[in-house]
Amino acid sequence: STEATANRNFEALIAEKTAQLKADETLKAKKEGEQAEAEQRLADTQALFDDTTAQKEADIEFFDAAKAACTAKHEEWTTRSSLRAEELEGIEEAISILSTDDARSLFSSAIKAGKEVGAQDKYDTGRNIAPALVQIRRVTQEDDSSVSKAYEAVTKAAKETRSLRLAALSVEVRSAKVGHFEKVLQAIDSMIQVLKEEDAADIAKRDQCKEEYTSIESTVKDLSWKIEKNDAKIAKLTQLIQLRTEQKAQTIQEIAEVEAHMEAITAQRTADNEAFLKTKEEDQQAIDLLMSAREALSRYYKKNKIDMGKIQGSVKGALLQEPVFDVSAEQAPDADFSDKGHRKGEAKDIVSILTMIIEDLNDEIKNGMKDEEAAQLEYEGMMAAATKLKNELIAKKVSLEQAIAQRDAERTEEIEIKEANQEDLADEISYKKSITPDCDWILRAFEKRAAARTSEMNGLVGAKEFLAGKQEALLETDKKSSKTFDDNALSKVKFLGLRR
């Protein structure tokens, strides 16, 4: 009927719009998911950028400190090498003067080659020696023929549709007695009702199968798309985890390198400090020995109140001093004994040389203290830069560990979601397989069954009209009947699938 067609069209339209709504919702969810992933990647990248920037700054500071230290060391080595070359001659001369075995053994470890310069008096060497300066640097018929006509109508319909129930009904119509059509009419009405129910059932079954197929197809597509996205996200997370793991390993290696560097410079600083202390002690012992020698040499002249004159403590002063002769080089030797101060000039030269060596050793102690202080400040600067770099690397390592743990948790969650989607997909495929025999049969046989029911319905309606017309004529003459016939009953009867 027209109403049924309109209803089917309406249902088809609703199904189409529902599918479109689902598709749109799926697209929306996809875009929202992509947005969330993009935001997460942005956050990760920003965090990594911040960590890398901090590390770069620490590396630059560390490099600058190391460069400055190396440059200073080079300059210092150049200066020291030059000064040592200049002092070599003077040291050799001083060693030759003190020729005792004990003095030679002590001086061989205490006295270094080269003349010490730039000594500052603010350092206390523990000896009474003159001070110097230091500097520091950091989706409707009648009659008896009506029975025959009714029979023919039912038989024809039975032949056309090959319906056993119409064939059985045609026998019942043929054997019905005139005036006794009530049972036959009841049977026809009953069969018409059955046909209506079958038609409704077939429509319901067809629509249900279509809806099920549509829903299953949509669900399968959606689940397949989700599984594909699950795989992509799992692969992406795996790559991120691998990248962060590699970065973590590199960071750990860098931390180890920084720690090794810190240990190396600490060991070197310790060794240098020990060497400084040893050298200082040896120099102090040498000074004590030299001062003892000088005191012993001068004791005689002090005791006998012999004035030796001004004692020179400078290398140049000692080298430039002219020898003093008591008599002229041309004067003949005197046979008289020399007086008690006759050798004071030679003694004075020796005392001056001893004083020069004492002052040089003292200056060496001061310069050693100056170098030790500068080396300590340089070491502390390098350790501060290395410690800052190490802390930055440790913070980066912690950040990478947190990122790895978060991505691993997300990957585990995504794997669980994928497994749930795969189970749902398997359930949908299994359910479709279970309904396919019935649904495919109703979808293929629906039009044929509807056409057969229409033929059966036309035969039944025709037979009923013939029998109902004859029954009405008989009832008008039957005065015993307590029932009246409704002339409008037939016009009120409506049958699904008939257009009159």
Side-chain angles (χ1 to χ4, degrees):
S1 67
T2 303
E3 181 179 356
T5 301
N7 187 48
R8 286 193 296 271
N9 291 339
F10 171 77
E11 292 175 347
L13 178 61
I14 290 298
E16 178 182 355
K17 295 300 181 181
T18 300
Q20 182 178 353
L21 176 60
K22 290 182 178 179
D24 291 340
E25 291 176 344
T26 300
L27 180 60
K28 176 185 177 184
K30 174 183 176 183
K31 294 299 183 182
E32 291 176 346
E34 291 176 349
Q35 179 184 5
E37 292 178 2
E39 291 175 349
Q40 185 64 55
R41 288 196 302 271
L42 176 60
D44 290 344
T45 303
Q46 185 63 46
L48 181 59
F49 175 81
D50 293 340
D51 291 341
T52 304
T53 300
Q55 180 183 352
K56 183 190 75 173
E57 293 174 354
D59 287 340
I60 292 174
E61 182 176 350
F62 181 77
F63 174 80
D64 291 341
K67 179 180 178 182
C70 291
T71 301
K73 279 293 183 184
H74 173 72
E75 294 175 353
E76 180 183 354
W77 179 85
T78 301
T79 302
R80 294 289 290 168
S81 296
S82 175
L83 293 175
R84 286 192 181 98
E86 294 177 3
E87 294 180 335
L88 184 59
E89 183 178 357
I91 295 299
E92 290 175 350
E93 182 178 357
I95 294 175
S96 65
I97 295 174
L98 299 172
S99 58
T100 64
D101 292 340
D102 291 338
R104 185 183 295 110
S105 175
L106 178 60
F107 293 156
S108 65
S109 62
I111 301 177
K112 299 185 298 183
K115 178 73 176 73
E116 293 293 332
V117 296
Q120 300 176 358
D121 288 337
K122 66 179 183 179
Y123 298 100
D124 183 10
T125 66
R127 296 296 182 271
N128 186 18
I129 298 298
L133 297 177
V134 177
Q135 291 182 349
I136 303 176
R137 320 177 274 265
R138 332 280 181 228
V139 108
T140 347
Q141 300 174 357
E142 59 185 9
D143 207 24
D144 291 340
S145 61
S146 61
V147 176
S148 298
K149 291 179 179 179
Y151 172 73
E152 291 175 359
V154 175
T155 302
K156 179 179 179 182
K159 289 180 180 180
E160 290 178 353
T161 61
R162 296 182 179 180
S163 173
L164 294 178
R165 57 189 174 187
L166 287 183
L169 181 61
S170 67
V171 173
E172 189 174 349
V173 172
R174 184 66 177 173
S175 61
K177 296 181 180 180
V178 177
H180 299 280
F181 302 133
E182 293 84 356
K183 292 183 179 180
V184 176
L185 290 173
Q186 290 177 358
I188 292 174
D189 288 339
S190 177
M191 192 169 294
I192 290 174
Q193 184 61 35
V194 170
L195 290 174
K196 290 180 180 179
E197 292 174 355
E198 285 184 357
D199 185 63
D202 279 6
I203 292 174
K205 184 66 174 179
R206 178 203 63 186
D207 293 345
Q208 179 187 7
C209 287
K210 285 184 176 180
E211 291 177 359
E212 291 288 351
Y213 276 176
T214 300
S215 177
I216 292 173
E217 180 180 6
S218 176
T219 302
V220 168
K221 288 182 178 179
D222 180 63
L223 290 172
S224 298
W225 175 81
K226 288 181 178 179
I227 292 173
E228 180 181 350
K229 293 303 177 182
N230 293 145
D231 289 334
K233 187 172 182 180
I234 291 170
K236 183 186 300 181
L237 290 171
T238 300
Q239 291 176 354
L240 284 174
I241 291 172
Q242 181 178 359
L243 174 62
R244 299 294 182 261
T245 301
E246 292 174 355
Q247 292 173 340
K248 175 186 172 183
Q250 180 179 358
T251 302
I252 292 174
Q253 181 179 356
E254 292 174 353
I255 292 173
E257 290 174 354
V258 171
E259 290 176 341
H261 173 73
M262 294 172 70
E263 291 177 359
I265 63 177
T266 299
Q268 184 63 44
R269 179 84 280 276
T270 301
D272 291 346
N273 178 258
E274 291 175 352
F276 160 73
L277 295 176
K278 180 180 180 181
T279 300
K280 178 182 177 183
E281 182 180 2
E282 290 177 347
D283 288 345
Q284 288 174 339
Q285 291 176 1
I287 290 173
D288 292 341
L289 182 59
L290 289 169
M291 290 178 66
S292 296
R294 184 179 64 180
E295 178 63 26
L297 185 60
S298 303
R299 187 181 303 122
Y300 168 77
Y301 297 97
K302 290 180 181 179
K303 179 179 180 181
N304 293 280
K305 299 180 180 180
I306 300 172
D307 185 11
M308 299 174 63
K310 185 178 180 180
I311 302 300
Q312 293 288 339
S314 169
V315 175
K316 292 182 179 180
L319 295 177
L320 294 176
Q321 183 178 0
E322 293 292 336
V324 178
F325 298 99
D326 291 337
V327 296
S328 173
E330 287 80 15
Q331 185 177 343
D334 192 353
D336 295 333
F337 290 105
S338 61
D339 62 12
K340 61 181 180 181
H342 179 69
R343 296 295 181 185
K344 68 179 181 179
E346 290 85 346
K348 177 182 176 181
D349 290 341
I350 295 172
V351 170
S352 294
I353 292 173
L354 290 174
T355 300
M356 177 196 69
I357 297 174
I358 291 170
E359 290 176 351
D360 188 66
L361 285 172
N362 195 68
D363 287 344
E364 183 176 331
I365 293 175
K366 292 179 180 180
N367 285 328
M369 293 174 71
K370 168 189 170 184
D371 293 342
E372 177 67 13
E373 184 176 7
Q376 181 65 26
L377 291 175
E378 177 185 336
Y379 164 75
E380 291 173 357
M382 293 179 66
M383 283 296 290
T387 300
K388 182 178 180 182
L389 176 58
K390 178 181 176 181
N391 292 336
E392 293 290 345
L393 290 172
I394 291 175
K396 180 179 179 181
K397 173 176 169 288
V398 172
S399 178
L400 288 171
E401 288 174 343
Q402 292 174 348
I404 291 172
Q406 182 178 355
R407 295 295 167 267
D408 189 59
E410 290 176 1
R411 182 175 64 176
T412 300
E413 181 181 2
E414 197 66 23
I415 291 174
E416 292 175 353
I417 294 175
K418 176 186 174 182
E419 292 175 349
N421 289 334
Q422 289 175 328
E423 291 178 1
D424 291 342
L425 179 60
D427 290 342
E428 288 294 322
I429 294 175
S430 177
Y431 176 64
K432 181 179 180 181
K433 184 177 181 180
S434 68
I435 66 172
T436 294
D438 290 342
C439 284
D440 283 357
W441 176 82
I442 192 63
L443 292 175
R444 289 194 305 268
F446 181 80
E447 297 298 334
K448 183 177 180 181
R449 283 171 59 83
R453 278 194 300 272
T454 299
S455 296
E456 286 182 296
M457 187 69 73
N458 290 336
L460 290 172
V461 171
K464 184 176 179 180
E465 289 176 349
F466 294 135
L467 294 177
K470 184 62 177 177
Q471 182 70 14
E472 182 180 358
L474 292 175
L475 288 174
E476 289 178 354
T477 59
D478 189 359
K479 305 297 183 179
K480 295 182 180 180
S481 177
S482 61
K483 298 181 180 180
T484 59
F485 186 80
D486 184 6
D487 295 73
N488 297 320
L490 182 59
S491 62
K492 297 178 181 179
V493 177
K494 295 182 180 179
F495 302 95
L496 184 62
L498 294 180
R499 299 182 61 186
R500 300 187 59 83

